[in-house]
Amino acid sequence: MAEAEEFIPLQFEQLDDATKAARAKAFYEQMKQRRSVRDFSSAPVPRAVIEDAVRTAGSAPSGANMQPWHFCVVESEAVKKEIRIAAEAEEREFYERRASEEWLDALAPLGTDAHKPFLETAPYLIVIFLKKFSQGEAGEQLKNYYTSESVGIATGMLLAALHNAGVATLTHTPSPMKFLNQILGRPSDERPYMIVVAGLPEDGAEVPAIQKKPLEEIAEFI
């Protein structure tokens, strides 16, 4: 029988109701301004900002606290170019052969195509890998649990942390993405989950005029 984990006192800030409401409203107002950016500047972003955003993502809850994620932060111009070439090859296959007409119609208002210059222009590509297994202290293989849910939560926290720090982002998922394992030297049993493009928007950058559904359409209180 495994030893019970040590427990420590919870550190939790008790707030009055007015402060809770004010913080919730302020965070919503901030986060609703986050948009997926496709026109990035090559202007630098301090690495410390990216490091702390990744630390925030790594603080996410996960099944059995297995933390089934790995973040490859790509700064190298050569590696970014390699990723772009491989991603655009998959994207051309998608737009020309794999995607259904229904899917292409859904994408049409966003103006996307197989051309992905942001993969080279933005200062950072944060490639998130989902780890099906972890390694124990003795080198044994341990199964990870609720991996998709856990990595999804961590990715959301990464996006929020970057936006909070004034960094623009784009979630990019060429399919398939196994080329990322080879380019970044990750084990074959890790699954590329997402590329988060991070940087500053280009001057004059534009985004689609889309709307989000109101609360009454996305939630109910029972």
Side-chain angles (χ1 to χ4, degrees), residues 7-108:
F7 283 76
I8 60 175
L10 172 67
Q11 301 295 315
F12 186 85
E13 184 182 10
Q14 294 285 358
L15 304 173
D16 59 69
D17 288 350
T19 303
K20 290 187 185 76
R23 285 196 182 185
K25 182 69 171 177
F27 189 70
Y28 163 65
E29 293 294 337
Q30 180 185 20
M31 290 307 301
K32 76 176 184 179
Q33 299 302 318
R34 198 214 73 83
R35 296 296 306 274
S36 292
V37 171
R38 290 179 172 81
D39 298 317
F40 280 88
S41 163
S42 60
V45 171
R47 181 190 278 195
V49 172
I50 305 300
E51 289 176 350
D52 279 335
V54 174
R55 286 189 181 100
T56 298
S59 74
S62 62
N65 193 37
M66 298 302 286
Q67 303 169 56
W69 43 66
H70 185 83
F71 302 88
C72 282
V73 182
V74 181
E75 305 172 89
S76 163
E77 297 298 327
V79 177
K80 287 192 293 181
K81 182 176 183 177
E82 191 175 359
I83 290 174
R84 178 185 177 183
I85 291 170
E88 287 187 336
E90 296 295 351
E91 291 290 325
R92 284 192 296 273
E93 283 292 312
F94 170 80
Y95 281 95
E96 294 172 10
R97 296 178 181 84
R98 296 182 187 140
S100 66
E101 285 301 318
E102 183 180 16
W103 198 344
L104 292 174
D105 288 345
L107 289 171

Side-chain angles (χ1 to χ4, degrees), residues 9 17 24 47 61 74 82-83 99 132 149 156 184 190 211-212:
D17 288 350
R47 181 190 278 195
V74 181
E82 191 175 359
I83 290 174
K132 299 176 183 177
E149 295 86 346
L184 299 174
E190 292 186 4
Q211 300 295 324
K212 299 298 183 181

